[in-house]
Amino acid sequence: MAGRTTMETRDTVPVQKDQDILSAAARLSGEDLCSIADLSSAEVRALLKLGHEVKRNPREYRHALDAKQMVLMFEKASLRTRLAFETGINTMGGNAIFVDQTSSPLGEREAIADVARNVERWVDVIVLRTYAHDTIVEMAANSRVPVINALSDFEHPCQALADFMTLEEHFGSVTGMNFTYVGDGNNVCHSLMLTGAQLGANVTIATPRGYSPDIEIVTKAREMAEANGCEIRLTQDPQAAAENADAMYTDVCVSMGFEHESTKRAPIFRPFQVNEALMQKAQPSAVFMHCLPARRGAEVTDAVLDGPQSIVFDQAENRMHVQKGLLLLLLGGLANVEKFQ
Ligand code: CP
Ligand code: NVA
């Protein structure tokens, strides 16, 4: 067995009856998480604080979600998101039910609203991985139990929350840091922009022409950034984007559902590969990040992915801790945890 490493958790102030977390819990109980924009800056901060706390003291949350039922309905493949949610709820006393929708898209056999009105009778939370973001919005509009976006073509909020939790672990604080994303301006990129903006990080996005992030998300992120004293910058020059970066992030060039564009995209994205030469433009202390799965040799080289600056498996680990925090907030689980009573 290879030696297993894990990031040390941040040594933060005790969270005993932490007012930031309790305020977020009061507001978010019963709510959905379709987009990072559903959370205020204070709520993003509180959720990450709870993620660090749950990671540090998992035993104190063993019964926080006793008997709660979570359904995962996934139209696309998943390793991290599925297992992080399943292990997360199982270690807090709840139960996960996985429904494979890969060959039966939601809304095809039965109207999405009718699916919602059935499922809410049996479960306490619905976790959805879809193609169309509207599927998530429609399920949320018709469900009386919380709906969580576990990746749509438009956003991946759980990923971005875990990523910024990981950056907080690494750097202590992300306020004022330079965060650079290089690659396709789609789901992961959108959620990273919004999360960075809510946390006061300067976010630079380098995409090929025609693959820039959605203008509505950019506008929203810039409004948040202005309120939080940071900037969102867009460019088509990966070299310029890498300069002075504290974190370099990339994602696959061909997202799920776009496989038919692989041949067309390969040459367009080649100059955006994160390799050792691009990492050298960043700060010497910069970290490399990737949501995974990675296409080795395409958007990132082995040397970078496996190199000393890579924190990709810490990101993967933190999916579970931050998603536990999210479930606690949406399902009112802190009421069962002694230190919050
Ligand atoms: N990063 C991520 O969401 O991984 P999965 O697709 O394996 O869930
Ligand atoms: N952008 C990728 C993220 C996978 C976690 C996709 O949508 O396939």
Side-chain angles (χ1 to χ4, degrees), residues 74 77-82 129 150-151 156 159 256 291-293 319:
F74 279 29
S78 172
L79 174 71
R80 282 147 290 270
T81 308
R82 175 181 178 178
R129 172 166 281 205
L151 180 95
H156 198 2
Q159 179 70 52
M256 290 182 276
C291 54
L292 304 179
R319 295 293 305 277

Side-chain angles (χ1 to χ4, degrees), residues 286-309:
V287 292
F288 170 73
M289 305 180 79
H290 194 308
C291 54
L292 304 179
R295 296 283 267 180
R296 290 171 175 269
E299 77 277 3
V300 59
T301 57
D302 286 345
V304 171
L305 190 65
D306 301 328
Q309 289 165 286

Side-chain angles (χ1 to χ4, degrees), residues 22-33:
L22 284 171
S23 301
R27 216 283 292 168
L28 293 173
S29 178
E31 294 294 323
D32 306 304
L33 182 71

Side-chain angles (χ1 to χ4, degrees), residues 13 29 55 65 83 248 279:
V13 287
S29 178
K55 181 171 184 176
L65 296 182
L83 288 177
M248 290 287 291
M279 285 301 291

